[in-house]
Each structure stands twice: as C-alpha cells, then as structure tokens.
Amino acid sequence: VPGIIGGFLLLESREDGMVKALLVSPNPLTGYIAIVCVVMFVSAMMLTVVQATIIGVALPPLPALIAVGLAAASGAPMFALLIAALANNKVQAFAYMKVFGLGPLLVTLAYFLPEPWQWSAAIYPPYCASKAYWVAEAGGGEWPLWILGGLASSVIWIGVLQRLFLRAAQK
C-alpha cells in the first residue's frame, strides 16, 4: 500500500512539473526521491510488523519478524519507482499496477517448487523476505541470510529504478 501511494505521489510530482523544477533547483531531485522512499520504507515496515502481530498466526520470533518487515518494506520504494518511471499518467499507472501486482504470484508459485528451483525467484526481492519468514517460522537459523540477500537485491533494484525515474523526469 505505501508503494502504491508513493508511486502515485511521484507520478503526480512528475505530471505537475515539480520534478522538473527540482532538476534546476539547489535542492537535488535525488533528495526528494530519498525522502519519499524513506517514508514509504518506514511505513511499510511498520505495517508489516503490526499486521502480522494482529493476525497472530504462524509468527516467527519477534526479531525475525522485524527483520522480515525490513526486507519486505524495501518492496514499497521499488514498486513506487517502477510505477512512477514507466507510467505517463494515472490511467497507465493503474494498468501497470495490475500487471506488477502479479509479482506476489511468483512468490506463491516458488513456495511449491523444490528447493534449488525456488532460488530462481530471488531476483524478485519480496521473495527473499517471504523465504526468510518461512525459514524463521519453521525454526531454521539461516533466515538472516535471506534478509541480507533481499536487502542487497533491493538496493540494486532501487538504484536502477531511480535512474529510470530520473530519465523519465527529464523528458
């Protein structure tokens, strides 16, 4: 949800010309993007942890749950930057949301694949957060590796998507 809201916020900023104004102002556009992404990240992390504790079914230990919330929250800036970079207007953004909303199906399908084949879904960072959740909930000790892998791939994706958004903003 924070990724959708953030994506529309960035898209609205681009449509209104605020992004172009920031390109020539002393305040860098990357600072604006960073602030929006941090707000999305923190709100998504808090939502993940709060929702899981409210539901209260099949919970991993609290440190693992918080770490999974951190790894899962990185999907919000990725989703927002992807929508804001590719869509030219809000109608296109809704269409892209429908297409990119199929991403969680990849995680669900990977759950049912045998172990070596599951790793192919790790290119989609929310998979790593889900895998860390599954491992931590089952009592496994390698969940921190999945958290680190998910965060590392998210940083790469966010960097690429930020450049894509900056390129779209200059048009």
Side-chain angles (χ1 to χ4, degrees):
V1 172
I4 293 169
I5 294 168
F8 277 103
L9 176 69
L10 289 172
L11 182 61
E12 183 73 26
S13 300
R14 202 174 100 205
E15 285 181 344
D16 288 347
M18 187 181 84
V19 169
K20 284 190 179 181
L22 283 172
L23 287 171
V24 295
S25 75
N27 298 325
L29 176 58
T30 54
Y32 172 72
I33 295 170
I35 290 170
V36 171
C37 287
V38 165
V39 169
M40 284 185 290
F41 182 84
V42 169
S43 60
M45 192 212 63
M46 290 186 333
L47 277 171
T48 301
V49 174
V50 168
Q51 286 175 353
T53 54
I54 288 172
I55 294 169
V57 176
L59 287 179
L62 188 60
L65 180 62
I66 292 170
V68 166
L70 285 171
S74 62
M78 285 181 3
F79 193 69
L81 287 168
L82 186 62
I83 290 172
L86 295 180
N88 293 324
N89 55 46
K90 290 175 194 73
V91 174
Q92 283 184 355
F94 277 113
Y96 283 123
M97 274 184 4
K98 291 229 178 244
V99 172
F100 300 136
L102 296 175
L105 285 177
L106 177 66
V107 175
T108 306
L109 290 174
Y111 180 80
F112 295 104
L113 293 175
E115 185 69 31
W117 290 100
Q118 280 186 8
W119 300 341
S120 62
I123 193 165
Y124 182 64
Y127 166 77
C128 295
S130 297
K131 181 68 174 181
Y133 187 94
W134 301 330
V135 171
E137 193 270 327
E142 63 274 2
W143 63 266
L145 297 174
W146 285 103
I147 298 291
L148 292 175
L151 289 174
S153 64
S154 293
V155 167
I156 293 168
W157 276 108
I158 289 171
V160 168
L161 293 170
Q162 180 182 1
R163 288 185 184 162
L164 189 65
F165 177 73
L166 290 172
R167 190 175 304 148
Q170 293 174 352
K171 290 182 184 179

